Amino acid sequence: MFVGHYAAALAAKAAEPRAPLWTYVAAAQLVDIGWSGLVMAGVERLSFDASLPGSPLVLEHMPWTHSLPAALLWSLTGALAARGLLKLPRRAAIMVGLVVFSHWLTDLLVHRPDLALWPGGAKVGFGLWNLPVVEQAVEIGLIALAAIAWTAGRKAAGRYAWPAALFVAILVAVQIIAMLTPHATSATAFGANALAVYLALTAIAWLVDRGQRERRA
Ligand SMILES: [Zn+2]
């Protein structure tokens, strides 16, 4: 799951627009932002197996980001940071926390069983990665549904639809580029690439927020 995670960010923006888009976009990948950093630091581990259908990732060890208790803790931290540091309204901060947790649920759909229910415990994952065409269709489908909801919400509020369309176009482009470019072969390089993409998309979302604020002013 890659751009599919952002469906939760778009749906949250449609349901609770008082949080800026960039907070939802960062929240949707907060667990993976932590993961890429910890992979680069050698704390969490992955390897590659090109013989696997779909994603070649073998996610051997990621208790600090992708175990269920860790994901809950990241979600709580995200909500508290949104409330305490960014001073978002209570409902928007809760929504940020829910978006952080949505990452684990969507990972559950696609990962092979590598998500620990507790550190060192049983690992779960429904393994849609083993059916690459279905998996890609689910990701794009989730994004499309969320984009329709967000665009409809904006139109109903009498606002421009273009920021929604632009951001979704960028997501689809990123997904296509990710499919076409060969995967990095070292874990550190993979982590660094992933982190760069997550931060770039957060920055783009921030620019979309900024463009809108100026238009309103
Ligand atoms: Zn993940």
Side-chain angles (χ1 to χ4, degrees):
M1 183 72 44
F2 172 33
V3 300
H5 286 301
Y6 292 114
L10 304 188
K13 184 68 180 166
E16 173 49 273
R18 285 179 298 168
L21 180 64
W22 77 264
T23 57
Y24 288 138
V25 165
Q29 296 287 18
L30 189 62
V31 162
D32 266 14
I33 290 172
W35 170 78
S36 21
L38 290 179
V39 163
M40 288 163 73
V43 176
E44 300 207 330
R45 290 191 307 273
L46 72 129
S47 58
F48 305 92
D49 179 354
S51 73
L52 287 171
S55 168
L57 292 181
V58 180
L59 300 161
E60 297 151 350
H61 184 70
M62 41 181 198
W64 303 104
T65 56
H66 284 73
S67 68
L68 179 55
L72 287 168
L73 209 60
W74 283 87
S75 307
L76 185 65
T77 307
L80 291 176
R83 183 75 180 144
L85 299 176
L86 303 174
K87 311 285 179 222
L88 295 187
R90 186 184 302 263
R91 187 170 178 270
I94 292 170
M95 198 64 96
V96 167
L98 290 175
V99 171
V100 177
F101 190 65
S102 75
H103 182 100
W104 194 86
L105 293 176
T106 26
D107 269 358
L108 177 66
L109 212 59
V110 300
H111 279 216
R112 304 179 182 100
D114 52 30
L115 302 164
L117 289 177
W118 61 92
K123 290 183 173 178
V124 290
F126 299 143
L128 264 192
W129 270 346
N130 292 327
L131 305 167
V133 176
V134 178
E135 198 270 333
Q136 291 290 333
V138 168
E139 291 210 42
I140 301 290
L142 284 174
I143 282 286
L145 284 178
I148 290 166
W150 185 25
T151 313
R154 292 183 67 87
K155 278 197 170 159
R159 304 181 64 195
Y160 296 103
W162 70 264
L166 175 70
F167 193 70
V168 171
I170 291 170
L171 288 182
V172 173
V174 167
Q175 180 82 352
I176 291 169
I177 293 167
M179 270 193 292
L180 296 181
T181 36
H183 280 290
T185 43
S186 88
T188 315
F190 190 92
N193 285 349
L195 188 60
V197 172
Y198 299 147
L199 295 181
L201 285 170
T202 305
I204 290 168
W206 179 76
L207 285 173
V208 170
D209 285 323
R210 232 180 108 81
Q212 295 189 80
R213 200 168 311 136
E214 269 149 29
R215 195 172 279 267
R216 235 180 285 141

